Amino acid sequence: MANWSYCDDGSLLDQPAVRYTFMCLYLLIFALCLLGNLFTIWVICFHRSMRTSTNFFLAQLAFADLLVSVFCICQNMFHVVGTENANWPLGAVLCKLYVYVLHMVPCTSIGILVCVSLEKYIAVLHPLLGLKILRRKLRVTMTLMIWAISLLVNLPYYFNTTMKTYSHLSACTRDMTSETHVARFMVTISFVMYYCLPLAAIAFLYTRIGVVLWTNDMYNSPSIAFRHTSDSIESGVNTKPFIMSEDEQFATIVSNVLENNQQENLLKLAQNARSKKVVESRKKVVRLLIAVVCSFAIFTLPHHARLLYLTWTNNPLCNNSPAALLQPITYLLLFCSSTINPILYAYLSRRFREAVNDIIKKNCPGLLLIWCNPMEWVRRCCFRRKSTTVSLHVPRLKASFSEFLDLSGTGSTRTHIFINK
C-alpha cells in the first residue's frame, strides 16, 4: 500500500492558493449538487407529466446524489483541503456517516442505472412481456432491493471507520486488521462488482436497444420510401419507391388515400404515425440515459484508478509533489457525477424543460423562462419565419393532424390537414 510522506517540506495542499482554489470548487459543486437534485426531485414529484417509470428511477438516483451533497462534499473538503494536516474537526458520528455514504451511493447509483436499463430493454425488445411484468410493484421492489443491498454490503465501512486523536489533531480513518490485504481486497472487489460488471451489462443492454431503434427499417427513415395505392399495383402500373420530404410525403399519401376512398390504408397510416412517434420518444429517452451512464463512468473512473494505485503499489508519495493534487481532483470528479445529472435533464429532456417551464409559469409568472431553452428563445426572437399552410379540403370535417390521429381509430376517412413549415 502506498505510503504518503511530507518529505520535510510540508504539504502542497496546505498552501493558501491551492487550498482556497479547491475550496471554491468544492463549494460550487456542493451548491449545484444540492439545489439541482432537490429541484429534480421536486419537478418529478409535483408535475404530473414527469411521473413516468423512467423518472421513478431517476428520482431515486437524484435522492442518492442528494445524500452525497449532505454527507460527503463539505466533509471531504474539510478532510482533504479545509484544514492543515488533514485534521478532522466534525466528530466521530459524521466521520462514520461520511465514509459510509461515500462508498454506498456509487453502489446505489450504478444499481439504479442497471434497473432502468433493464426496464428499457424489456420494453423495447420484449413489449408483450413488458406489459405483463413492468408494473409499479416490480419497480418499487427492484428499488428497495438495490437500496438494501447497497446499505448492507457497505456496512463494513461504517463499523471499521473511526476517529483517532493525536494530541491536538484528529483523523477520520478505517481501522482494519491486516489493513493492506483487506484494503486491497475491498477496493478491487468494489471496482469489479460496482463498476466493471454493471457497466458491461449496461453497454450490452443499450447496444441491443440501439440495434432495434436505429437500424430497424420500419422506424428508422424519417422520409420513407412508399408506393402508391393498391389499385395502381393491381392494375400493373410500375410504382417504384421515391423519396420526398415528410410534409410532402404525408400530404401525397393522404391525397391518394382520400381519392381512392381507402379507409384501411388511412387507418394504417395513422398507426404508422403513432408508432413512429413512440419510437422517436424512446430514442430521446435512451439518449438521455446513455448520457447519464457515460457521465457516471467517466467521472467515477479516476477515483477508482487512484484507489487501486494506492492500494497495490509500495512506492512512497510526497505530499509536496504535484501527485498530491490528484486526491482532491479525483474526489471533485466523483462528486461531479452526482452534480451533472440535473444539467443533463435540462438540456437533453424536452419534457423536463416543459415541466419546469409549466411550474415556473404557475408559481412565478413574472420570471423569464429563457433558461428552459435559451437557443430556442433566441431563434424565435431573431429568426421568425412565416408559416405556410398546405390544406387538403374534404367536406363536413375539419381537424388538425393530431386530431386526425385521434379520429382515425373511429373509422372516419374525412379530414382537413394543416402542415406548418
Side-chain angles (χ1 to χ4, degrees):
M1 187 173 182
N3 296 318
W4 287 92
S5 174
Y6 285 93
C7 302
D8 300 328
D9 289 327
S11 174
L12 183 61
L13 298 177
D14 289 335
Q15 297 182 9
V18 176
R19 173 184 296 175
Y20 295 138
T21 300
F22 277 112
M23 289 181 69
C24 291
L25 293 175
Y26 269 102
L27 293 175
L28 175 62
I29 292 176
F30 167 74
L32 293 176
C33 185
L34 179 65
L35 299 178
N37 287 292
L38 274 176
F39 189 67
T40 299
I41 296 173
W42 181 44
V43 171
I44 293 176
C45 292
F46 292 98
H47 199 277
R48 186 175 297 274
S49 68
M50 297 297 292
R51 298 172 190 171
T52 63
S53 58
T54 301
N55 289 338
F56 171 78
F57 290 109
L58 295 183
Q60 301 295 322
L61 186 62
F63 179 74
D65 293 336
L66 188 63
L67 294 179
V68 172
S69 65
V70 174
F71 292 103
C72 295
I73 298 181
C74 289
Q75 290 83 341
N76 184 266
M77 179 187 69
F78 283 111
H79 179 55
V80 177
V81 298
T83 57
E84 294 185 1
N85 302 317
N87 183 39
W88 180 263
L90 302 176
V93 175
L94 284 179
C95 173
K96 287 179 174 291
L97 290 175
Y98 156 68
V99 175
Y100 180 57
V101 175
L102 187 64
H103 291 84
M104 182 268 294
V105 168
C107 300
T108 306
S109 299
I110 195 64
I112 293 172
L113 292 176
V114 171
C115 286
V116 71
S117 305
L118 184 60
E119 187 204 33
K120 288 301 172 188
Y121 174 83
I122 295 175
V124 173
L125 274 73
H126 306 283
L128 296 180
L129 178 62
L131 291 176
K132 295 180 181 180
I133 66 173
L134 294 180
R135 304 290 183 179
R136 183 176 182 180
K137 182 178 180 180
L138 178 63
R139 298 186 185 99
V140 173
T141 302
M142 294 170 63
T143 304
L144 291 177
M145 289 181 61
I146 292 298
W147 280 100
I149 292 173
S150 300
L151 291 171
L152 290 175
V153 299
N154 289 283
L155 280 177
Y157 288 107
Y158 180 83
F159 291 110
N160 292 319
T161 299
T162 183
M163 189 182 74
K164 295 184 177 180
T165 302
Y166 307 94
S167 64
H168 63 286
L169 296 177
S170 299
C172 182
T173 184
R174 290 185 292 271
D175 186 12
M176 297 181 180
T177 306
S178 301
E179 183 179 351
T180 300
H181 302 290
V182 174
R184 286 178 178 177
F185 174 79
M186 294 185 68
V187 169
T188 305
I189 291 298
S190 176
F191 176 68
V192 175
M193 295 296 296
Y194 308 131
Y195 186 87
C196 296
L197 294 181
L199 288 178
I202 291 173
F204 170 78
L205 294 175
Y206 281 128
T207 300
R208 295 293 306 275
I209 293 173
V211 169
V212 172
L213 293 181
W214 273 273
T215 64
N216 194 328
D217 293 335
M218 181 176 180
Y219 304 121
N220 192 35
S221 300
S223 300
I224 60 173
F226 63 92
R227 296 180 182 272
H228 288 291
T229 63
S230 59
D231 292 340
S232 300
I233 298 177
E234 291 176 358
S235 62
V237 177
N238 184 16
T239 56
K240 295 183 179 180
F242 59 95
I243 305 298
M244 301 179 65
S245 68
E246 189 173 355
D247 293 344
E248 293 174 346
Q249 169 192 325
F250 178 73
T252 305
I253 291 177
V254 176
S255 178
N256 292 333
V257 169
L258 295 177
E259 288 175 2
N260 293 277
N261 196 23
Q262 295 180 353
Q263 179 176 357
E264 181 180 355
N265 289 340
L266 185 58
L267 295 176
K268 185 176 181 180
L269 174 64
Q271 293 173 357
N272 289 339
R274 285 197 189 97
S275 299
K276 183 177 179 180
K277 185 176 180 181
V278 170
V279 171
E280 289 300 324
S281 177
R282 287 179 175 176
K283 285 182 178 180
K284 293 178 181 178
V285 173
V286 169
R287 290 190 190 103
L288 172 62
L289 296 176
I290 290 176
V292 172
V293 172
C294 290
S295 66
F296 177 86
I298 293 172
F299 285 125
T300 58
L301 180 60
H303 179 70
H304 285 288
R306 183 181 64 85
L307 292 180
L308 287 171
Y309 176 80
L310 292 178
T311 53
W312 285 97
T313 185
N314 293 319
N315 297 328
L317 299 176
C318 295
N319 273 346
N320 65 341
S321 67
L325 300 178
L326 293 178
Q327 184 182 19
I329 289 174
T330 55
Y331 275 122
L332 287 172
L333 292 176
L334 178 65
F335 299 143
C336 282
S337 67
S338 298
T339 307
I340 195 68
N341 290 341
I343 300 174
L344 294 177
Y345 304 154
Y347 281 92
L348 297 181
S349 175
R350 180 179 179 181
R351 176 179 290 181
F352 184 85
R353 293 195 301 271
E354 291 176 349
V356 174
N357 193 359
D358 188 46
I359 290 175
I360 294 178
K361 281 183 178 179
K362 290 181 179 180
N363 296 277
C364 305
L367 293 180
L368 293 177
L369 306 177
I370 300 174
W371 79 273
C372 296
N373 196 340
M375 296 307 298
E376 180 68 15
W377 182 82
V378 172
R379 185 186 68 81
R380 290 184 180 182
C381 292
C382 302
F383 305 99
R384 293 181 178 177
R385 296 185 300 174
K386 296 182 179 179
S387 61
T388 59
T389 301
V390 178
S391 60
L392 298 177
H393 294 276
V394 179
R396 296 195 302 273
L397 181 63
K398 294 183 178 181
S400 64
F401 178 50
S402 61
E403 292 171 340
F404 157 71
L405 296 180
D406 295 334
L407 292 172
S408 60
T410 64
S412 174
T413 59
R414 298 167 298 174
T415 186
H416 180 87
I417 302 147
F418 293 96
I419 303 175
N420 293 323
K421 293 184 180 180

